[in-house]
Amino acid sequence: MAKEEQQSNFVIRPSQYDNRIDLELNKTPIVWDLKNGNLSFFGMDSALFWTDPSLVRMLSPLAKEIGPDLFRLLIAYSSSLGTGEDYHAMISTLGNTFETGFLAWGQAVSTAGWGIFEMPEFNNEDKKATVIVHNSWEISMQRNLPAEERWGCPFLQGKIIGIFSHAFNTRCWADVICYYDQDKPYAELKISPSKKTIEDEIKKIRYLQMAKKEQALAKKIEDKTAELRQAQKQIEEYSKTLEQKVAQRTSELLNTNEALKSAKEEAEQATHAKSEFLANMSHEIRTPMNAITGMTQLALNTDLNPVQRNYLNKILASTQNLLRIINDILDYSKIEAGKLEIENIDFRLDNVLDGVANLVMQAAEEKALEVVFSTAPDVPQNLIGDPLRLGQVITNLTNNAVKFTDQGEIAILVAVDRQVDGRAELHFTVRDTGIGMTRDEIGLLFQAFTQADGSISRKYGGTGLGLTICKRIVEMMGGNIWVESEKGKGSAFHFTICCELSKKNTLSSSTLKLLKTLHGMRVLVVDDNPTARQFLFCVLDSSSFNVETASGGKEALKKIIASSEEKRPYDLVIIDWNMPGLDGIETTKLIKAHRDLRHIPFVLMVTAYRREDVSRAADDVGMDGFLIKPVSQSQLFDTIIGIFNDSATGAISKKGRRIETSRLAPIRGARILLVEDNAINREVAVELLKQAGMNVTVADNGEQGVNAVKSQTFDLVLMDIQMPVVDGITATRMIREDERFKDLPILAMTAHAMAGDREKSIEAGMNDHLTKPIQPEKLFAALLRWIKPGDRGGRSLTDTDAPAEALIQIPAIPGVDVNQGLYHVGGNTRVYIKLLKSFHSNYKEALPQIKTCLENGKTEELTRIAHSIKGVSGNIGALDLFKATKKFEMDLRKNGISISSNLFSEFGRALAVVLKAIESFIKDLPQPEAIRNSMDREKLMESLTKLSALIQEGTFEAEDYLDDINDSLIQAGGGVTVSKIRTHLENFEFDKALSTLKKLTGIVSGNL
């Protein structure tokens, strides 16, 4: 066997020994000893395998690996070798003849499990025999196995072959038939001479195996070929109808696409219609709201009695509430359209919280709820983000808390979750002691138009949009929002946002410098609310103040007296007003009047209540300072510094909260062009800008605005959108066509607030988009964002040290509601008197003009005059005239010059009454007193030159400057001309004013 043969993983290898064959199964050696016929499997003699069923089962892998035929051949052939000793033993020991010896031998080995032998045939001449073996253990152990797992009796077969080969003296073979299904299973062996060799048998078996594999392979090929033919047939059949199906599917797709296109167009039309409707509604509502809000804010900056201030505060709160509802609807529309945007601008967190307090405190006071703001000392104040949207979320959650809480407190808490790499994650909590919610009700939150309980909207009101908008805003600011609540015990809404840290200092350098002088100062914080008390303690303690606390007035008095006796008196007492037992007013009164105190501390009242009587009572008891909650760190420190420096810096005015303009110092004096056609909106904007110390030039329409930009120099342009002659969009494009003005900041200031309006403004070349009503803080923030800082020498009206002008008491004017008129101009008497004078000057000849238009059929001119009178009469408070003019105008638009005589008569009578009353009022106005020392010629001429420059610039300072030099000009003989110049300026007729000024200059120069 010089050649290596291999079947699967079974290998017959050449051996270096003549009487041995080396086999290998899966790299496991099998040794076949040809001398004695032993097979050694896995290092064990094969004979052992037939004595133990467990060892027999070890041969199953071998049988499966090399095939059952080769397996039986190997076992049988190996068992046939080395049987010479058995043959000689059975002849010599067990019988004289082979036949008797074999049967005797069989009887002997039956006890070992070989079975009971029978030999029904024995032919020594033909060398054939038949042997039947009953109860062989080798057969019996297989009867319960499946047919495919039975291996026959190769070991017994081999022994029989070997013994009969010696008996017949020739090589024999035994064909075996095994019967397993009998009660006593047996094997029948047919013995006959054979010239078979193991090599031949192996080759034969392998050939049969290969043939079988080839047949199986051929069968697979045949099956696969049949499958391919079937597939080919199907392809041919499918190809016949493919074009038809493609055409059909193409037609279906075209129909589907057409349907989709149609549906898309319908949806876009519906969306466009909705957007247009919302835009129009927003514009129509915001335009009058701008007047209401703006004039109310301006009126609050004037001297008012408590009743008036209360009314105005409620008006402002109501307009802001209406604006919030409008904003909710618009914001939700933007969310649906995916156009809600988040700004990234510098802002102070305490300003945002202060704005929230202004919006929610009145409602909380009405329900006697205490609102507590608590900001952890490590929370950064100067941030970069969207303060408007942040305030919107906090305000919405706080308003909800106030709405659903009847007693107890509302707490707005701010903490830092983490701060790294110039970013901070802030954690806001709005906690209340209200009605609370169940788990099922919590599950309904943050869904559009949904309240936690269907009955809530009826009982408490609300659109159900607020929380949905809050959730979207918070997610856009990189945070999450969730709620914790228990029915009957209140709720806590949590949300987080991520903000960049601004590089601006939280406190000014001057404030920090002054604070160092107050280090170690002893302060007593008195507040019955533990949250508010802890907040003030932490803020002061973190700045090196020596702070102690008390929960009420009595405890505070005890500590103040004890500290005085210990010669460690308090320098400052910060006290709440509304406390059980001794309130803040009574406690302060006792402190200030205590005779035994060696040192009377300063007392600063901090209260959440903006009531005039509280402020007045605080003054009466000698309160040193007064702050409205929420108290920011900078506001608190500025007020403390002001107290100890005998200054009221940072404190809240007794007249109400004034507009903060100090932060505009870097841009004060900037030249601003206001392009606005609406007189009320123009007046509001001008007053705000003048208070901020800006130099303002106005234009009535886009065409004037373009001309002003080309003829003068401005730092910024505020542009209305909807105007006559040339609208704001067109005007901006005209300005941008000139390369000189490519960097000029142009800001839209309009009632257009829908999604897409901002994009239209930006597309036209504007830099920013401000919506009406005008919010001072937002307007000022935009000015700071777009105007380059510089020393322009300007100052705000609130900075002036000049005493306030004497108030003129306006008497009752027939046909005019003076209070209503003053309301429209923010209580500014000077401005209101100017409007009355202007009305009289412009419309004293209106009736003759109207009659001429009627006679000549000039309907368009007639309608313009009526429309103008209607607008101005409403602004000055001439309500009867306003109503009559409104009817008259509507009749004109409907019937042309064929108007109702009754309506015209009613209009004429009302106009005559108002004109006559205003004329009488003007005549009774006090005339300016002559001054003793008039200007000298040179100084007065310099003043006229300056006035000429101001008129050429078209600023409102021209009118103010004219008032300053009015008396000197009258003494110089220019009284009538001065009056004409003032009229021109009041009507924004700057060219006419300049022309008249030249005449005045000639008069003055000739008279001096």
Side-chain angles (χ1 to χ4, degrees):
M1 297 176 65
K3 187 176 180 180
E4 177 178 331
E5 299 183 24
Q6 181 172 348
Q7 168 74 11
S8 185
N9 291 328
F10 176 72
V11 180
I12 301 176
R13 297 187 178 278
S15 176
Q16 58 182 338
Y17 304 104
D18 294 336
N19 58 350
R20 174 173 139 182
I21 297 177
D22 290 318
L23 308 177
E24 185 177 294
L25 175 64
N26 294 332
K27 298 184 180 181
T28 300
I30 301 174
V31 179
W32 191 357
D33 190 342
L34 299 178
K35 182 177 181 181
N36 54 29
N38 284 341
L39 270 176
S40 176
F41 298 103
F42 318 111
M44 300 177 64
D45 195 297
S46 64
L48 297 175
F49 283 85
W50 311 103
T51 62
D52 190 334
S54 61
L55 295 177
V56 172
R57 293 190 185 96
M58 292 178 64
L59 296 177
S60 295
L62 178 63
K64 290 180 180 179
E65 187 66 33
I66 66 176
D69 296 333
L70 183 57
F71 171 73
R72 286 192 293 270
L73 176 64
L74 287 174
I75 299 300
Y77 193 79
S78 63
S79 299
S80 68
L81 300 177
T83 54
E85 296 180 359
D86 293 326
Y87 171 74
H88 293 294
M90 70 177 65
I91 295 299
S92 59
T93 307
L94 301 175
N96 296 328
T97 65
F98 171 73
E99 187 174 0
T100 58
F102 174 75
L103 294 174
W105 177 73
Q107 183 68 33
V109 297
S110 65
T111 57
W114 283 43
I116 301 172
F117 284 55
E118 293 183 13
M119 192 164 59
E121 179 187 0
F122 179 79
N123 189 333
N124 193 31
E125 293 180 2
D126 294 336
K127 301 187 185 301
K128 294 181 179 180
T130 299
V131 176
I132 295 175
V133 182
H134 295 279
N135 293 336
S136 168
W137 176 86
E138 191 177 7
I139 300 299
S140 298
M141 68 179 295
Q142 301 174 57
R143 62 183 302 183
N144 295 323
L145 296 176
E148 62 273 12
E149 295 184 13
R150 293 170 179 166
W151 63 81
C153 53
F155 182 76
L156 178 62
Q157 178 187 12
K159 289 295 184 181
I160 297 296
I161 290 172
I163 291 173
F164 276 85
S165 294
H166 286 285
F168 293 143
N169 197 23
T170 185
R171 183 176 295 178
C172 296
W173 188 253
D175 293 322
V176 182
I177 300 176
C178 296
Y179 299 92
Y180 301 100
D181 301 328
Q182 307 296 323
D183 293 337
K184 296 181 179 180
Y186 67 94
E188 182 178 348
L189 294 84
K190 295 289 187 177
I191 299 113
S192 60
S194 175
K195 294 183 179 180
K196 295 178 180 179
T197 64
I198 185 64
E199 291 85 353
D200 294 337
E201 291 301 315
I202 289 175
K203 289 178 180 179
K204 179 180 177 182
I205 290 172
R206 286 186 174 171
Y207 174 78
L208 292 173
Q209 289 177 339
M210 290 178 63
K212 190 180 295 184
K213 288 183 178 180
E214 288 176 356
Q215 289 176 357
L217 180 60
K219 182 67 168 61
K220 288 182 180 180
I221 293 173
E222 183 179 351
D223 293 342
K224 187 61 68 176
T225 302
E227 291 177 5
L228 291 175
R229 287 174 180 169
Q230 182 65 25
Q232 180 66 26
K233 184 178 180 181
Q234 292 176 351
I235 290 172
E236 291 175 355
E237 292 176 354
Y238 184 76
S239 64
K240 293 177 181 179
T241 58
L242 180 60
E243 292 184 3
Q244 180 181 352
K245 289 183 177 180
V246 169
Q248 180 182 352
R249 185 60 55 85
T250 301
S251 176
E252 292 174 356
L253 288 174
L254 289 174
N255 293 336
T256 302
N257 288 337
E258 191 66 29
L260 287 174
K261 182 179 178 182
S262 177
K264 180 183 177 184
E265 290 176 352
E266 291 178 3
E268 288 176 348
Q269 290 173 0
T271 301
H272 180 72
K274 182 182 74 172
S275 299
E276 286 296 322
F277 172 76
L278 289 175
N280 291 334
M281 289 300 297
S282 172
H283 185 274
E284 291 300 322
I285 295 173
R286 284 171 179 269
T287 298
M289 281 182 64
N290 178 52
I292 297 171
T293 304
M295 289 302 180
T296 302
Q297 289 173 331
L298 291 174
L300 285 171
N301 280 334
T302 63
D303 290 328
L304 302 169
N305 62 46
V307 174
Q308 292 171 330
R309 185 164 301 281
N310 181 47
Y311 291 162
L312 288 173
N313 279 326
K314 288 181 177 178
I315 290 171
L316 185 60
S318 297
T319 57
Q320 289 169 340
N321 188 45
L322 178 58
L323 182 61
R324 281 196 297 273
I325 295 173
I326 297 172
N327 286 337
D328 279 353
I329 297 172
L330 294 179
D331 283 344
Y332 187 71
S333 176
K334 291 178 183 178
I335 289 172
E336 280 190 319
K339 292 186 177 181
L340 186 69
E341 296 180 351
I342 298 296
E343 284 189 316
N344 276 298
I345 61 174
D346 288 314
F347 72 95
R348 283 187 57 83
L349 179 60
D350 51 12
N351 289 341
V352 174
L353 297 178
D354 191 37
V356 172
N358 291 331
L359 295 173
V360 303
M361 290 306 298
Q362 182 175 349
E365 288 179 19
E366 291 174 354
K367 300 180 74 172
L369 299 174
E370 181 162 6
V371 180
V372 179
F373 289 79
S374 178
T375 303
D378 60 339
V379 172
Q381 288 293 325
N382 289 311
L383 304 166
I384 298 175
D386 195 328
L388 181 64
R389 295 299 182 188
L390 174 59
Q392 182 179 352
V393 174
I394 302 174
T395 301
N396 188 287
L397 297 178
T398 308
N399 278 333
N400 283 346
V402 173
K403 185 192 301 183
F404 298 121
T405 303
D406 292 328
Q407 59 182 359
E409 70 171 27
I410 312 295
I412 295 91
L413 314 175
V414 190
V416 179
D417 278 353
R418 57 181 175 178
Q419 183 173 326
V420 63
D421 295 333
R423 294 183 64 83
E425 182 177 306
L426 302 184
H427 185 155
F428 294 83
T429 304
V430 179
R431 188 182 66 209
D432 63 60
T433 56
I435 61 176
M437 291 175 286
T438 64
R439 290 187 177 181
D440 292 338
E441 290 171 342
I442 291 175
L444 297 174
L445 296 180
F446 307 112
Q447 300 178 27
F449 305 105
T450 301
Q451 298 275 14
D453 183 352
S455 63
I456 283 179
S457 60
R458 294 190 296 273
K459 181 177 180 181
Y460 296 99
T463 62
L465 287 174
L467 290 179
T468 304
I469 296 170
C470 288
K471 183 176 186 293
R472 182 59 180 152
I473 291 174
V474 167
E475 289 172 348
M476 291 180 71
M477 297 178 78
N480 295 301
I481 186 169
W482 69 97
V483 61
E484 298 170 350
S485 183
E486 186 175 349
K487 193 70 173 178
K489 294 187 177 180
S491 304
F493 281 81
H494 301 263
F495 72 92
T496 59
I497 63 167
C498 292
C499 290
E500 294 183 28
L501 302 181
S502 175
K503 296 181 180 179
K504 294 182 179 180
N505 291 326
T506 301
L507 299 175
S508 65
S509 57
S510 59
T511 300
L512 292 171
K513 184 176 180 180
L514 288 170
L515 276 177
K516 290 182 180 179
T517 65
L518 301 178
H519 280 188
M521 185 176 73
R522 285 177 51 77
V523 181
L524 178 64
V525 175
V526 188
D527 200 316
D528 63 309
N529 186 290
T531 305
R533 189 169 64 242
Q534 182 64 22
F535 164 69
L536 289 172
F537 174 85
C538 292
V539 170
L540 294 166
D541 184 68
S542 65
S543 297
S544 301
F545 286 87
N546 187 352
V547 191
E548 295 181 12
T549 63
S551 60
K554 290 183 179 180
E555 182 184 355
L557 282 173
K558 290 180 181 179
K559 287 193 172 186
I560 292 170
I561 294 170
S563 66
S564 178
E565 292 174 351
E566 296 170 1
K567 297 182 180 181
R568 296 175 59 252
Y570 295 109
D571 301 293
L572 174 67
V573 176
I574 301 177
I575 192 167
D576 186 26
W577 167 62
N578 189 20
M579 297 185 295
L582 282 177
D583 63 24
I585 300 295
E586 289 297 324
T587 304
T588 302
K589 186 176 181 180
L590 293 172
I591 293 171
K592 295 291 186 179
H594 204 291
R595 297 181 179 180
D596 296 332
L597 292 179
R598 299 178 181 179
H599 172 76
I600 303 296
F602 288 104
V603 182
L604 169 62
M605 174 163 283
V606 180
T607 178
Y609 296 90
R610 299 167 183 254
R611 287 166 41 179
E612 190 74 19
D613 57 334
V614 177
S615 175
R616 190 164 49 248
D619 276 347
D620 293 342
V621 299
M623 197 77 67
D624 299 287
F626 192 84
L627 277 176
I628 303 294
K629 296 177 182 179
V631 179
S632 67
Q633 183 188 52
S634 59
Q635 191 181 45
L636 177 63
F637 290 156
D638 285 344
T639 305
I640 293 175
I641 291 170
I643 290 174
F644 283 86
N645 283 301
D646 193 24
S647 168
T649 303
I652 299 299
S653 168
K654 301 172 189 175
K655 300 175 184 178
R657 183 172 178 269
R658 294 191 180 274
I659 299 171
E660 175 58 47
T661 62
S662 60
R663 62 193 179 108
L664 298 175
I667 62 171
R668 195 163 287 150
R671 295 174 55 81
I672 295 176
L673 173 63
L674 173 65
V675 188
E676 168 67 70
D677 69 307
N678 185 282
I680 296 178
N681 292 340
R682 186 166 58 239
E683 188 74 18
V684 170
V686 168
E687 288 294 328
L688 289 173
L689 293 169
K690 287 175 68 177
Q691 286 187 23
M694 306 298 161
N695 290 320
V696 188
T697 301
V698 299
D700 293 346
N701 55 59
E703 183 180 52
Q704 291 183 13
V706 173
N707 294 334
V709 169
K710 291 182 177 180
S711 62
Q712 302 178 50
T713 302
F714 297 102
D715 297 300
L716 181 137
V717 178
L718 292 172
M719 182 77 72
D720 189 20
I721 298 296
Q722 188 171 318
M723 294 183 294
V725 186
V726 175
D727 61 57
I729 296 292
T730 305
T732 300
R733 287 174 176 156
M734 293 170 66
I735 294 171
R736 292 302 187 207
E737 288 175 356
D738 194 326
E739 286 294 321
R740 293 176 298 167
F741 309 119
K742 65 178 182 179
D743 296 325
L744 174 65
I746 303 177
L747 278 59
M749 192 163 66
T750 174
H752 292 285
M754 275 298 297
D757 291 331
R758 178 184 178 86
E759 288 74 9
K760 292 177 184 176
S761 301
I762 302 302
E763 183 182 356
M766 297 187 186
N767 301 87
D768 210 336
H769 185 95
L770 303 176
T771 58
K772 298 174 183 175
I774 300 170
Q775 299 292 332
E777 291 81 2
K778 193 168 185 179
L779 173 62
F780 294 161
L783 298 181
L784 285 169
R785 187 159 61 246
W786 293 109
I787 298 177
K788 295 180 180 178
D791 185 7
R792 299 178 176 89
R795 66 176 184 174
S796 68
L797 296 184
T798 54
D799 291 339
T800 181
D801 297 325
E805 63 177 345
L807 293 176
I808 300 176
Q809 297 296 327
I810 300 178
I813 301 176
V816 179
D817 186 337
V818 175
N819 290 330
Q820 182 72 13
L822 283 170
Y823 161 73
H824 282 300
V825 294
N828 192 316
T829 306
R830 181 177 62 84
V831 173
Y832 184 57
I833 292 174
K834 286 198 308 183
L835 287 177
L836 293 175
K837 289 180 178 180
S838 178
F839 181 85
H840 182 268
S841 174
N842 291 338
Y843 301 112
K844 62 185 178 182
E845 301 297 333
L847 278 175
Q849 291 176 4
I850 291 173
K851 290 178 180 179
T852 302
C853 290
L854 285 171
E855 293 172 356
N856 297 327
K858 295 182 179 180
T859 307
E860 185 176 345
E861 178 69 12
L862 185 60
T863 304
R864 184 192 64 78
I865 295 173
H867 181 76
S868 177
I869 292 175
K870 182 188 72 172
V872 178
S873 62
N875 292 333
I876 65 173
L879 301 182
D880 291 339
L881 175 59
F882 173 79
K883 294 175 183 177
T885 311
K886 184 177 180 180
K887 295 177 183 178
F888 178 50
E889 183 189 7
M890 290 177 63
D891 194 36
L892 275 173
R893 294 184 183 277
K894 182 178 180 181
N895 302 314
I897 60 174
S898 301
I899 58 175
S900 166
S901 58
N902 292 333
L903 292 178
F904 178 67
S905 299
E906 182 183 353
F907 162 72
R909 287 194 300 272
L911 178 59
V913 169
V914 172
L915 287 172
K916 183 178 179 180
I918 292 177
E919 183 180 11
S920 176
F921 166 73
I922 294 173
K923 288 180 180 179
D924 293 337
L925 284 174
Q927 299 299 318
E929 297 180 1
I931 58 174
R932 295 179 180 178
N933 298 318
S934 61
M935 295 183 181
D936 57 30
R937 177 190 182 90
E938 183 178 354
K939 188 173 182 181
L940 186 56
M941 293 304 293
E942 289 177 358
S943 299
L944 290 174
T945 302
K946 181 177 179 181
L947 177 61
S948 177
L950 292 173
I951 294 175
Q952 290 179 28
E953 293 173 359
T955 69
F956 280 91
E957 289 187 4
E959 190 175 348
D960 295 335
Y961 192 68
L962 179 62
D963 291 338
D964 293 340
I965 62 175
N966 177 78
D967 296 338
S968 296
L969 291 174
I970 291 175
Q971 286 188 358
V976 176
T977 310
V978 170
S979 178
K980 290 181 179 180
I981 293 174
R982 180 175 287 103
T983 300
H984 291 321
L985 291 177
E986 290 171 350
N987 295 326
F988 308 108
E989 298 169 346
F990 297 108
D991 291 338
K992 292 182 180 180
L994 194 61
S995 177
T996 308
L997 178 62
K998 290 180 181 179
K999 297 179 182 179
L1000 177 63
T1001 303
I1003 294 172
V1004 172
S1005 62
N1007 290 339
L1008 288 177

